Amino acid sequence: MKAGKVYFIGAGPGDPGLIPLKGIKALEEAQVVVYDRLASPQLLAYVKQGARFVFCGKEAGKHSMAQEEINEILVREALRGKKVARLKGGDPSIYGRVGEEAEACARHGIPFEIVPGVTSGIAAASYAGIPLTHREWSSNTAFVTGHRCAGNEGKETNWQAASGFDTLVVYMGVKNLPYIRQRLIECGKPPATPAALVRWGTTGDQRTLAGTLDNIASKAQEANFEAPAILIIGEVVRLRETLGWYEQKPLFGRKVLLFQSEPATRGDGRLLEQWGAETAEVPVLPEPALEAERVLQAAESSDWIVFADVWEVQFFFQALHAAGRDIRNINTRMAALNEGAAAELARRAITVEYDFSADYAAGSGVRPGVLGSRIGLQEGARMLLLSPDYTGINAPYSEDGVCWLLAGMSRQKIRATAYLAELFRERGFDTLWIGDVRAMYALQELANREPELASRLLCIPEFICVGEGTAAVAGAYGWKVTRTIREGESFVIDAVEWLNESRMEGSALHQEFAG
């Protein structure tokens, strides 16, 4: 059997946006993903359905796997012909032990690639507002380890040499802070030299504790400041007072889990990230319904087709193309319930003769009879409504003399259950954000299918629905909606109002770590 391949990927220290493009491509191809707690689990969203996840821990003093066991897994899976992604926090070559893991592959003739990442010493400092070099304060920087163990006896950091650098970045030093302080001061580093600890840098859990070389150890003990953290020593630390930016964002510290099926026209996740929230998006990809042929037959005999959203338009035309039919041979008029459906029809050069989006932005939950009265239908008209509110074809019925057939061209399902489980392994969420009614149907289907995941989702304190139709469906299923954000032109207004309230609630947050 031909050997597979191992990709050692530098994932960055936590912010999933810092992973290199080459790392994303490797994840998309991977069949097995071996990752540790310092790599953002949000990156697992890039992994294809059916891939296997292997969590190897690597928490200080609490490794769930020994290094030798990790090496064995990489070798074993690659020898089985698998493409393996070894996802490592920060940069794999900077205290990431990639040398040992790559050597294990080389001994067995397994091809591998190393994809560099942003090391935590650089990224955490930047997100804390501390530039490691500065024309006035620092012309050189050293990266050292503060970790001492039996395996590196006789190879301890040369503190005499380290003390001579303008800026010193110490990895894995929290446990040995008193010793590091003692050695640097003994080697001539002024006790008053500014120092800062940055914990969980680039994530919503980031905390910065500032002090001096002399008192940073005692301040860390008082604040119960734990690993993982980077220690930065040097005059550049003073600049964080004016250059700190990340922890100043209004939603900093808020963790939001998003379910959204609509194509990224609004960009909910991007907006929340710009405001400082740490987001994780769960892909909701509708699947074609099984009764597409019957829907097409109904379309041919209908006077109007009303599309509730963009997915109904896309799946309708996909079914039309698969059946070898031409829309020009279907003599019917088209209407759209929301902006997405109208835009998708226009993109296909289809005339939208009635656009309900100004009145029914949700594109869902609207009584057919109300739609008919707005159009001014004549008695005997035949209407086909394609909406995510329906699965397959419902029995036709009449209202005000108009014959309605209610159907759905798709069904909603979340297949990324393994990804969701990994998200909940290491962290909780403050807000559950449901971006549209399709996502709500998918969430409920997931809750019915995966009760353990459902219980975790129910523990999230804030439940936000975008669209009154989405909130109505959530309420009907028994979810406790804490806030509804309107769609369309009101979206930004409502979102900013929520932002301002969240900012007020969190104004005193993290003050215990103020420098």
PDB file of all heavy atoms in Angstrom, residues 7-13 18-24 39 43 86-93 113-119:
ATOM      1  N   TYR A   7       0.871  16.378   7.123  1.00  0.00           N
ATOM      2  CA  TYR A   7       1.060  17.825   7.055  1.00  0.00           C
ATOM      3  C   TYR A   7       1.145  18.361   8.477  1.00  0.00           C
ATOM      4  O   TYR A   7       0.198  18.207   9.262  1.00  0.00           O
ATOM      5  CB  TYR A   7      -0.107  18.492   6.337  1.00  0.00           C
ATOM      6  CG  TYR A   7      -0.221  18.166   4.869  1.00  0.00           C
ATOM      7  CD1 TYR A   7      -0.958  17.060   4.437  1.00  0.00           C
ATOM      8  CD2 TYR A   7       0.412  18.951   3.911  1.00  0.00           C
ATOM      9  CE1 TYR A   7      -1.072  16.758   3.094  1.00  0.00           C
ATOM     10  CE2 TYR A   7       0.314  18.653   2.557  1.00  0.00           C
ATOM     11  CZ  TYR A   7      -0.431  17.560   2.155  1.00  0.00           C
ATOM     12  OH  TYR A   7      -0.526  17.261   0.820  1.00  0.00           O
ATOM     13  N   PHE A   8       2.266  18.974   8.822  1.00  0.00           N
ATOM     14  CA  PHE A   8       2.414  19.625  10.122  1.00  0.00           C
ATOM     15  C   PHE A   8       2.026  21.083   9.931  1.00  0.00           C
ATOM     16  O   PHE A   8       2.741  21.846   9.272  1.00  0.00           O
ATOM     17  CB  PHE A   8       3.852  19.498  10.628  1.00  0.00           C
ATOM     18  CG  PHE A   8       4.277  18.073  10.864  1.00  0.00           C
ATOM     19  CD1 PHE A   8       5.029  17.386   9.921  1.00  0.00           C
ATOM     20  CD2 PHE A   8       3.913  17.420  12.033  1.00  0.00           C
ATOM     21  CE1 PHE A   8       5.416  16.075  10.131  1.00  0.00           C
ATOM     22  CE2 PHE A   8       4.304  16.102  12.252  1.00  0.00           C
ATOM     23  CZ  PHE A   8       5.051  15.426  11.305  1.00  0.00           C
ATOM     24  N   ILE A   9       0.894  21.469  10.505  1.00  0.00           N
ATOM     25  CA  ILE A   9       0.301  22.764  10.211  1.00  0.00           C
ATOM     26  C   ILE A   9       0.374  23.680  11.428  1.00  0.00           C
ATOM     27  O   ILE A   9      -0.126  23.346  12.506  1.00  0.00           O
ATOM     28  CB  ILE A   9      -1.176  22.603   9.793  1.00  0.00           C
ATOM     29  CG1 ILE A   9      -1.296  21.631   8.625  1.00  0.00           C
ATOM     30  CG2 ILE A   9      -1.789  23.955   9.426  1.00  0.00           C
ATOM     31  CD1 ILE A   9      -2.721  21.213   8.332  1.00  0.00           C
ATOM     32  N   GLY A  10       0.975  24.837  11.229  1.00  0.00           N
ATOM     33  CA  GLY A  10       0.967  25.858  12.268  1.00  0.00           C
ATOM     34  C   GLY A  10      -0.371  26.575  12.255  1.00  0.00           C
ATOM     35  O   GLY A  10      -0.697  27.297  11.324  1.00  0.00           O
ATOM     36  N   ALA A  11      -1.176  26.365  13.306  1.00  0.00           N
ATOM     37  CA  ALA A  11      -2.536  26.894  13.337  1.00  0.00           C
ATOM     38  C   ALA A  11      -2.620  28.299  13.902  1.00  0.00           C
ATOM     39  O   ALA A  11      -3.690  28.900  13.908  1.00  0.00           O
ATOM     40  CB  ALA A  11      -3.426  25.970  14.173  1.00  0.00           C
ATOM     41  N   GLY A  12      -1.483  28.849  14.365  1.00  0.00           N
ATOM     42  CA  GLY A  12      -1.565  30.102  15.096  1.00  0.00           C
ATOM     43  C   GLY A  12      -2.002  29.829  16.523  1.00  0.00           C
ATOM     44  O   GLY A  12      -2.389  28.718  16.879  1.00  0.00           O
ATOM     45  N   PRO A  13      -1.979  30.843  17.370  1.00  0.00           N
ATOM     46  CA  PRO A  13      -2.217  30.602  18.800  1.00  0.00           C
ATOM     47  C   PRO A  13      -3.669  30.558  19.232  1.00  0.00           C
ATOM     48  O   PRO A  13      -3.934  30.306  20.402  1.00  0.00           O
ATOM     49  CB  PRO A  13      -1.509  31.796  19.446  1.00  0.00           C
ATOM     50  CG  PRO A  13      -1.630  32.877  18.433  1.00  0.00           C
ATOM     51  CD  PRO A  13      -1.538  32.214  17.083  1.00  0.00           C
ATOM     52  N   LEU A  18      -5.810  33.372  11.686  1.00  0.00           N
ATOM     53  CA  LEU A  18      -4.360  33.473  11.525  1.00  0.00           C
ATOM     54  C   LEU A  18      -3.735  32.247  10.869  1.00  0.00           C
ATOM     55  O   LEU A  18      -2.530  32.234  10.638  1.00  0.00           O
ATOM     56  CB  LEU A  18      -3.693  33.715  12.892  1.00  0.00           C
ATOM     57  CG  LEU A  18      -4.063  35.022  13.600  1.00  0.00           C
ATOM     58  CD1 LEU A  18      -3.365  35.118  14.951  1.00  0.00           C
ATOM     59  CD2 LEU A  18      -3.712  36.231  12.740  1.00  0.00           C
ATOM     60  N   ILE A  19      -4.512  31.230  10.552  1.00  0.00           N
ATOM     61  CA  ILE A  19      -3.947  30.042   9.914  1.00  0.00           C
ATOM     62  C   ILE A  19      -3.558  30.374   8.470  1.00  0.00           C
ATOM     63  O   ILE A  19      -4.279  31.102   7.776  1.00  0.00           O
ATOM     64  CB  ILE A  19      -4.936  28.859   9.946  1.00  0.00           C
ATOM     65  CG1 ILE A  19      -4.243  27.572   9.454  1.00  0.00           C
ATOM     66  CG2 ILE A  19      -6.186  29.149   9.143  1.00  0.00           C
ATOM     67  CD1 ILE A  19      -5.082  26.328   9.620  1.00  0.00           C
ATOM     68  N   PRO A  20      -2.430  29.875   7.974  1.00  0.00           N
ATOM     69  CA  PRO A  20      -2.042  30.136   6.582  1.00  0.00           C
ATOM     70  C   PRO A  20      -3.000  29.467   5.596  1.00  0.00           C
ATOM     71  O   PRO A  20      -3.632  28.444   5.894  1.00  0.00           O
ATOM     72  CB  PRO A  20      -0.637  29.511   6.478  1.00  0.00           C
ATOM     73  CG  PRO A  20      -0.193  29.289   7.878  1.00  0.00           C
ATOM     74  CD  PRO A  20      -1.419  29.087   8.692  1.00  0.00           C
ATOM     75  N   LEU A  21      -3.103  30.034   4.399  1.00  0.00           N
ATOM     76  CA  LEU A  21      -3.957  29.451   3.361  1.00  0.00           C
ATOM     77  C   LEU A  21      -3.528  28.023   3.025  1.00  0.00           C
ATOM     78  O   LEU A  21      -4.362  27.156   2.777  1.00  0.00           O
ATOM     79  CB  LEU A  21      -3.906  30.324   2.099  1.00  0.00           C
ATOM     80  CG  LEU A  21      -4.646  31.665   2.176  1.00  0.00           C
ATOM     81  CD1 LEU A  21      -4.414  32.458   0.900  1.00  0.00           C
ATOM     82  CD2 LEU A  21      -6.135  31.456   2.400  1.00  0.00           C
ATOM     83  N   LYS A  22      -2.224  27.780   3.024  1.00  0.00           N
ATOM     84  CA  LYS A  22      -1.735  26.433   2.726  1.00  0.00           C
ATOM     85  C   LYS A  22      -2.199  25.444   3.794  1.00  0.00           C
ATOM     86  O   LYS A  22      -2.473  24.269   3.493  1.00  0.00           O
ATOM     87  CB  LYS A  22      -0.211  26.426   2.628  1.00  0.00           C
ATOM     88  CG  LYS A  22       0.360  25.116   2.108  1.00  0.00           C
ATOM     89  CD  LYS A  22       1.844  25.233   1.819  1.00  0.00           C
ATOM     90  CE  LYS A  22       2.378  23.949   1.200  1.00  0.00           C
ATOM     91  NZ  LYS A  22       3.820  24.042   0.873  1.00  0.00           N
ATOM     92  N   GLY A  23      -2.318  25.911   5.030  1.00  0.00           N
ATOM     93  CA  GLY A  23      -2.811  25.051   6.100  1.00  0.00           C
ATOM     94  C   GLY A  23      -4.275  24.707   5.901  1.00  0.00           C
ATOM     95  O   GLY A  23      -4.700  23.579   6.154  1.00  0.00           O
ATOM     96  N   ILE A  24      -5.063  25.669   5.426  1.00  0.00           N
ATOM     97  CA  ILE A  24      -6.480  25.414   5.161  1.00  0.00           C
ATOM     98  C   ILE A  24      -6.633  24.358   4.069  1.00  0.00           C
ATOM     99  O   ILE A  24      -7.446  23.425   4.174  1.00  0.00           O
ATOM    100  CB  ILE A  24      -7.193  26.717   4.750  1.00  0.00           C
ATOM    101  CG1 ILE A  24      -7.253  27.679   5.943  1.00  0.00           C
ATOM    102  CG2 ILE A  24      -8.597  26.425   4.232  1.00  0.00           C
ATOM    103  CD1 ILE A  24      -7.823  29.031   5.607  1.00  0.00           C
ATOM    104  N   ALA A  39      -4.638  24.624  19.436  1.00  0.00           N
ATOM    105  CA  ALA A  39      -5.150  24.908  18.096  1.00  0.00           C
ATOM    106  C   ALA A  39      -6.649  25.132  18.184  1.00  0.00           C
ATOM    107  O   ALA A  39      -7.358  24.366  18.841  1.00  0.00           O
ATOM    108  CB  ALA A  39      -4.837  23.754  17.149  1.00  0.00           C
ATOM    109  N   LEU A  43     -11.105  25.575  13.489  1.00  0.00           N
ATOM    110  CA  LEU A  43     -10.445  25.217  12.230  1.00  0.00           C
ATOM    111  C   LEU A  43     -10.920  23.866  11.707  1.00  0.00           C
ATOM    112  O   LEU A  43     -10.759  23.565  10.522  1.00  0.00           O
ATOM    113  CB  LEU A  43      -8.927  25.199  12.433  1.00  0.00           C
ATOM    114  CG  LEU A  43      -8.296  26.557  12.765  1.00  0.00           C
ATOM    115  CD1 LEU A  43      -6.812  26.387  13.101  1.00  0.00           C
ATOM    116  CD2 LEU A  43      -8.466  27.536  11.615  1.00  0.00           C
ATOM    117  N   ARG A  86      -1.564  17.246  11.097  1.00  0.00           N
ATOM    118  CA  ARG A  86      -1.163  17.425  12.501  1.00  0.00           C
ATOM    119  C   ARG A  86      -1.270  18.917  12.789  1.00  0.00           C
ATOM    120  O   ARG A  86      -0.422  19.714  12.401  1.00  0.00           O
ATOM    121  CB  ARG A  86       0.267  16.916  12.713  1.00  0.00           C
ATOM    122  CG  ARG A  86       0.815  17.203  14.110  1.00  0.00           C
ATOM    123  CD  ARG A  86       0.045  16.443  15.178  1.00  0.00           C
ATOM    124  NE  ARG A  86       0.706  16.550  16.478  1.00  0.00           N
ATOM    125  CZ  ARG A  86       0.249  17.307  17.474  1.00  0.00           C
ATOM    126  NH1 ARG A  86      -0.848  18.020  17.323  1.00  0.00           N
ATOM    127  NH2 ARG A  86       0.900  17.355  18.623  1.00  0.00           N
ATOM    128  N   LEU A  87      -2.367  19.300  13.434  1.00  0.00           N
ATOM    129  CA  LEU A  87      -2.679  20.708  13.672  1.00  0.00           C
ATOM    130  C   LEU A  87      -2.077  21.127  15.006  1.00  0.00           C
ATOM    131  O   LEU A  87      -2.457  20.615  16.060  1.00  0.00           O
ATOM    132  CB  LEU A  87      -4.199  20.879  13.679  1.00  0.00           C
ATOM    133  CG  LEU A  87      -4.788  22.269  13.515  1.00  0.00           C
ATOM    134  CD1 LEU A  87      -4.339  22.905  12.206  1.00  0.00           C
ATOM    135  CD2 LEU A  87      -6.307  22.202  13.580  1.00  0.00           C
ATOM    136  N   LYS A  88      -1.127  22.063  14.950  1.00  0.00           N
ATOM    137  CA  LYS A  88      -0.385  22.456  16.137  1.00  0.00           C
ATOM    138  C   LYS A  88      -0.578  23.947  16.401  1.00  0.00           C
ATOM    139  O   LYS A  88      -0.562  24.769  15.476  1.00  0.00           O
ATOM    140  CB  LYS A  88       1.107  22.152  15.960  1.00  0.00           C
ATOM    141  CG  LYS A  88       1.393  20.694  15.596  1.00  0.00           C
ATOM    142  CD  LYS A  88       2.855  20.443  15.321  1.00  0.00           C
ATOM    143  CE  LYS A  88       3.669  20.330  16.581  1.00  0.00           C
ATOM    144  NZ  LYS A  88       3.383  19.110  17.369  1.00  0.00           N
ATOM    145  N   GLY A  89      -0.757  24.296  17.662  1.00  0.00           N
ATOM    146  CA  GLY A  89      -0.904  25.699  18.019  1.00  0.00           C
ATOM    147  C   GLY A  89       0.359  26.478  17.730  1.00  0.00           C
ATOM    148  O   GLY A  89       1.468  25.971  17.858  1.00  0.00           O
ATOM    149  N   GLY A  90       0.202  27.748  17.327  1.00  0.00           N
ATOM    150  CA  GLY A  90       1.354  28.593  17.034  1.00  0.00           C
ATOM    151  C   GLY A  90       2.084  28.146  15.789  1.00  0.00           C
ATOM    152  O   GLY A  90       1.489  27.800  14.767  1.00  0.00           O
ATOM    153  N   ASP A  91       3.413  28.134  15.859  1.00  0.00           N
ATOM    154  CA  ASP A  91       4.262  27.651  14.767  1.00  0.00           C
ATOM    155  C   ASP A  91       4.855  26.310  15.190  1.00  0.00           C
ATOM    156  O   ASP A  91       5.390  26.188  16.295  1.00  0.00           O
ATOM    157  CB  ASP A  91       5.382  28.648  14.463  1.00  0.00           C
ATOM    158  CG  ASP A  91       6.284  28.164  13.348  1.00  0.00           C
ATOM    159  OD1 ASP A  91       7.242  27.404  13.635  1.00  0.00           O
ATOM    160  OD2 ASP A  91       6.029  28.532  12.192  1.00  0.00           O
ATOM    161  N   PRO A  92       4.762  25.298  14.329  1.00  0.00           N
ATOM    162  CA  PRO A  92       5.214  23.962  14.748  1.00  0.00           C
ATOM    163  C   PRO A  92       6.698  23.886  15.061  1.00  0.00           C
ATOM    164  O   PRO A  92       7.127  22.985  15.798  1.00  0.00           O
ATOM    165  CB  PRO A  92       4.851  23.065  13.561  1.00  0.00           C
ATOM    166  CG  PRO A  92       4.680  23.985  12.400  1.00  0.00           C
ATOM    167  CD  PRO A  92       4.199  25.276  12.966  1.00  0.00           C
ATOM    168  N   SER A  93       7.501  24.813  14.518  1.00  0.00           N
ATOM    169  CA  SER A  93       8.951  24.753  14.714  1.00  0.00           C
ATOM    170  C   SER A  93       9.431  25.551  15.912  1.00  0.00           C
ATOM    171  O   SER A  93      10.617  25.513  16.246  1.00  0.00           O
ATOM    172  CB  SER A  93       9.669  25.253  13.449  1.00  0.00           C
ATOM    173  OG  SER A  93       9.371  24.411  12.359  1.00  0.00           O
ATOM    174  N   GLU A 113       5.092  17.506   4.991  1.00  0.00           N
ATOM    175  CA  GLU A 113       5.343  18.922   4.746  1.00  0.00           C
ATOM    176  C   GLU A 113       5.126  19.669   6.056  1.00  0.00           C
ATOM    177  O   GLU A 113       4.278  19.286   6.869  1.00  0.00           O
ATOM    178  CB  GLU A 113       4.407  19.497   3.676  1.00  0.00           C
ATOM    179  CG  GLU A 113       4.675  18.995   2.277  1.00  0.00           C
ATOM    180  CD  GLU A 113       3.846  19.724   1.223  1.00  0.00           C
ATOM    181  OE1 GLU A 113       3.441  20.883   1.488  1.00  0.00           O
ATOM    182  OE2 GLU A 113       3.597  19.136   0.154  1.00  0.00           O
ATOM    183  N   ILE A 114       5.899  20.739   6.244  1.00  0.00           N
ATOM    184  CA  ILE A 114       5.739  21.596   7.414  1.00  0.00           C
ATOM    185  C   ILE A 114       5.209  22.940   6.945  1.00  0.00           C
ATOM    186  O   ILE A 114       5.843  23.618   6.131  1.00  0.00           O
ATOM    187  CB  ILE A 114       7.071  21.781   8.168  1.00  0.00           C
ATOM    188  CG1 ILE A 114       7.591  20.423   8.655  1.00  0.00           C
ATOM    189  CG2 ILE A 114       6.896  22.749   9.337  1.00  0.00           C
ATOM    190  CD1 ILE A 114       8.968  20.487   9.305  1.00  0.00           C
ATOM    191  N   VAL A 115       4.031  23.301   7.440  1.00  0.00           N
ATOM    192  CA  VAL A 115       3.402  24.575   7.081  1.00  0.00           C
ATOM    193  C   VAL A 115       3.597  25.540   8.251  1.00  0.00           C
ATOM    194  O   VAL A 115       2.984  25.384   9.302  1.00  0.00           O
ATOM    195  CB  VAL A 115       1.899  24.382   6.801  1.00  0.00           C
ATOM    196  CG1 VAL A 115       1.269  25.718   6.380  1.00  0.00           C
ATOM    197  CG2 VAL A 115       1.677  23.329   5.721  1.00  0.00           C
ATOM    198  N   PRO A 116       4.464  26.536   8.098  1.00  0.00           N
ATOM    199  CA  PRO A 116       4.727  27.463   9.212  1.00  0.00           C
ATOM    200  C   PRO A 116       3.472  28.224   9.622  1.00  0.00           C
ATOM    201  O   PRO A 116       2.563  28.452   8.815  1.00  0.00           O
ATOM    202  CB  PRO A 116       5.779  28.425   8.632  1.00  0.00           C
ATOM    203  CG  PRO A 116       6.351  27.717   7.447  1.00  0.00           C
ATOM    204  CD  PRO A 116       5.253  26.869   6.903  1.00  0.00           C
ATOM    205  N   GLY A 117       3.428  28.598  10.880  1.00  0.00           N
ATOM    206  CA  GLY A 117       2.315  29.386  11.393  1.00  0.00           C
ATOM    207  C   GLY A 117       2.817  30.595  12.158  1.00  0.00           C
ATOM    208  O   GLY A 117       4.017  30.808  12.300  1.00  0.00           O
ATOM    209  N   VAL A 118       1.880  31.390  12.664  1.00  0.00           N
ATOM    210  CA  VAL A 118       2.237  32.570  13.467  1.00  0.00           C
ATOM    211  C   VAL A 118       2.498  32.095  14.893  1.00  0.00           C
ATOM    212  O   VAL A 118       1.587  31.574  15.560  1.00  0.00           O
ATOM    213  CB  VAL A 118       1.110  33.614  13.456  1.00  0.00           C
ATOM    214  CG1 VAL A 118       1.531  34.852  14.246  1.00  0.00           C
ATOM    215  CG2 VAL A 118       0.737  33.985  12.031  1.00  0.00           C
ATOM    216  N   THR A 119       3.710  32.248  15.351  1.00  0.00           N
ATOM    217  CA  THR A 119       4.041  31.783  16.693  1.00  0.00           C
ATOM    218  C   THR A 119       3.360  32.639  17.746  1.00  0.00           C
ATOM    219  O   THR A 119       3.149  33.846  17.570  1.00  0.00           O
ATOM    220  CB  THR A 119       5.561  31.765  16.914  1.00  0.00           C
ATOM    221  OG1 THR A 119       5.843  31.210  18.201  1.00  0.00           O
ATOM    222  CG2 THR A 119       6.159  33.158  16.836  1.00  0.00           C
TER     223      THR A 119
END
